[in-house]
Amino acid sequence: IGATVIDSLDTLYLMELKEEFQEAKAWVEENFHLNVSGEASLFEVNIRYIGGLLSAFYLTGEEVFRIKAIRLGEKLLPAFNTPTGIPKGVVSFKSGSWGWATAGSSSILAEFGSLHLEFLHLTELSGNQVFAEKVRNIRKVLRKIEKPFGLYPNFLSPVSGNWVQHHVSVGGLGDSFYEYLIKSWLMSGKTDMEAKNMYYEALEAIETYLLNVSPGGLTYIAEWRGGILDHKMGHLACFSGGMIALGAEDAKEEKRAHYRELAAQITKTCHESYARSDTKLGPEAFWFNSGREAVATQLSESYYILRPEVVESYMYLWRQTHNPIYREWGWEVVLVSLGEILSDRSRFLRDPRRVQ
């Protein structure tokens, strides 16, 4: 309960929506109770609740946000009670058990690999080393395990510590693992050499085995299934343009210009997925095959659910290059989205079935 409230705290504060921020803060103080039962996603609780609370604390210094973040972090710790220390994706707040982590189950790279930004801050703010120890162990396991061609598959058994299947994606199931590596390097004041090395090694493997250029000249990152490529990108993978731009500055000097150009090309491809759709909003996934490029080929992928990844890459590229095209592309998304909202409202108002 309240994920949207907490996830929006920093946005409300930065936008100077003071009344709404105070209302949200009061809700956190009075109604966000941690004595709950049931199960929850470790990943979602971390990035939305803990991440939101930490951001609000650093922006405001309000102690309530720090205390709630630490207490919630403590409730997530039982998820790490597995033979490998790799957490299961779901934590039971009632029992704190991990009994559902059976031998055939798996944890998802993007989920257990996207904890260390928040958990390192939980240690910093609490003085309790357990949070940092949990995420350092995740890296230890990932460094030790054999990786096919240097690639990180998306599913790992928290019981055996082995990959469950060899599916590699920079989109869903893998995405934020890579993002958290480069951001950990930056967050550490560029002292976390482990995160830096893991990021650039992973990026080199991605470029070697997943990166492709279509016949029409569009650069994209394919998905890898045991050596066979699916020539598609998910909308989620479109964050990678911004990520590669962010990491270009600290790459080897001879690679910096290359990474900036690669970031621009991937972002251009993701823009094409918008430009080539009927609504001018990008699909959930788009393919490069049979002469069709950067378009959804299946009805099950022909939808848009307010994903921010493409616009996120526009923002990073604008900040790095100040090329006005990225602001123009971002504004196009605003205008199209607003048009869809107004169109929906108009259809609703004209609907004779509407209750007057």
Side-chain angles (χ1 to χ4, degrees):
I1 296 175
T4 300
V5 174
I6 293 175
D7 206 11
S8 301
L9 284 167
D10 53 355
T11 302
L12 295 173
Y13 187 84
L14 290 170
M15 294 181 69
E16 298 184 358
L17 296 171
K18 298 178 181 179
E19 183 177 337
E20 291 84 352
F21 177 81
Q22 290 300 327
E23 184 179 351
K25 176 192 169 188
W27 185 89
V28 172
E29 289 177 317
E30 299 165 13
N31 299 105
F32 183 50
H33 304 301
L34 302 180
N35 55 337
V36 295
S37 60
E39 296 180 345
S41 163
L42 173 71
F43 170 71
E44 297 291 349
V45 170
N46 179 62
I47 66 169
R48 304 195 190 286
Y49 288 91
I50 294 180
L53 291 167
L54 289 174
S55 295
F57 171 72
Y58 283 121
L59 285 168
T60 68
E62 296 280 0
E63 189 70 2
V64 60
F65 299 132
R66 184 185 73 89
I67 292 172
K68 294 276 188 177
I70 293 168
R71 289 180 179 170
L72 184 54
E74 291 169 348
K75 293 187 74 71
L76 296 182
L77 293 176
F80 295 83
N81 294 334
T82 64
T84 61
I86 296 293
K88 194 66 179 72
V90 177
V91 61
S92 171
F93 287 124
K94 183 175 183 179
S95 66
S97 68
W98 61 277
W100 14 253
T102 57
S105 66
S106 59
S107 296
I108 296 172
L109 179 68
E111 296 186 350
F112 68 79
S114 302
L115 299 171
H116 36 280
L117 292 180
E118 292 84 1
F119 270 56
L120 290 174
H121 277 284
L122 288 178
T123 281
E124 185 172 322
L125 293 178
S126 69
N128 187 344
Q129 292 297 317
V130 67
F131 301 109
E133 290 168 359
K134 296 298 186 185
V135 291
R136 289 193 186 108
N137 179 68
I138 291 172
R139 286 197 197 167
K140 180 180 177 181
V141 172
L142 289 174
R143 287 199 323 272
K144 183 178 178 180
I145 189 173
E146 183 177 349
K147 292 171 278 294
F149 305 104
L151 297 167
Y152 288 84
N154 291 333
F155 300 98
L156 183 72
S157 167
V159 176
S160 69
N162 296 321
W163 302 116
V164 174
Q165 55 179 274
H166 284 189
H167 171 221
V168 178
S169 170
V170 180
L173 305 175
D175 47 9
S176 51
F177 163 65
Y178 307 100
E179 174 190 8
Y180 267 50
L181 288 176
I182 189 60
K183 288 184 176 178
S184 289
W185 158 248
L186 297 173
M187 186 182 76
S188 71
K190 301 185 179 181
T191 61
D192 186 350
M193 294 300 297
E194 180 180 62
K196 179 183 181 182
N197 292 335
M198 289 177 70
Y199 169 75
Y200 288 108
E201 289 168 4
L203 184 56
E204 286 186 14
I206 289 166
E207 189 171 2
T208 301
Y209 295 101
L210 305 184
L211 193 70
N212 283 264
V213 178
S214 73
L218 297 180
T219 300
Y220 63 97
I221 301 176
E223 298 189 5
W224 189 86
R225 296 180 185 274
I228 300 172
L229 291 183
D230 286 339
H231 291 274
K232 73 169 184 175
M233 280 185 75
H235 193 293
L236 287 166
C238 284
F239 87 99
S240 59
M243 178 189 71
I244 293 169
L246 182 65
E249 178 184 345
D250 294 313
K252 295 176 182 178
E253 188 171 356
E254 66 270 18
K255 297 279 283 186
R256 292 173 190 171
H258 167 70
Y259 282 141
R260 291 191 182 103
E261 178 60 22
L262 178 58
Q265 290 302 320
I266 291 173
T267 303
K268 177 184 175 183
T269 296
C270 291
H271 173 261
E272 285 298 313
S273 77
Y274 276 54
R276 299 182 186 195
S277 74
D278 292 336
T279 62
K280 306 306 177 185
L281 291 172
E284 182 67 3
F286 48 94
W287 291 77
F288 301 84
N289 55 27
S290 302
R292 304 184 69 192
E293 299 185 0
V295 293
T297 60
Q298 302 175 32
L299 186 61
S300 61
E301 298 167 340
S302 300
Y303 60 90
Y304 174 73
I305 49 176
L306 297 180
R307 293 205 186 275
E309 287 78 15
V310 172
V311 176
E312 178 185 0
S313 284
Y314 295 166
M315 183 194 74
Y316 277 102
L317 269 293
W318 157 250
R319 290 286 179 86
Q320 186 178 87
T321 69
H322 291 285
N323 184 335
I325 192 64
Y326 298 113
R327 299 184 83 181
E328 294 168 14
W329 288 352
W331 188 236
E332 287 172 6
V333 176
V334 172
L335 293 178
V336 171
S337 299
L338 183 60
E340 290 295 320
I341 291 170
L342 293 175
S343 176
D344 285 345
R345 182 176 184 273
S346 177
R347 284 195 295 269
F348 170 75
L349 293 174
R350 294 197 308 270
D351 190 341
R353 298 167 297 177
R354 184 171 63 91
V355 176
Q356 300 297 322

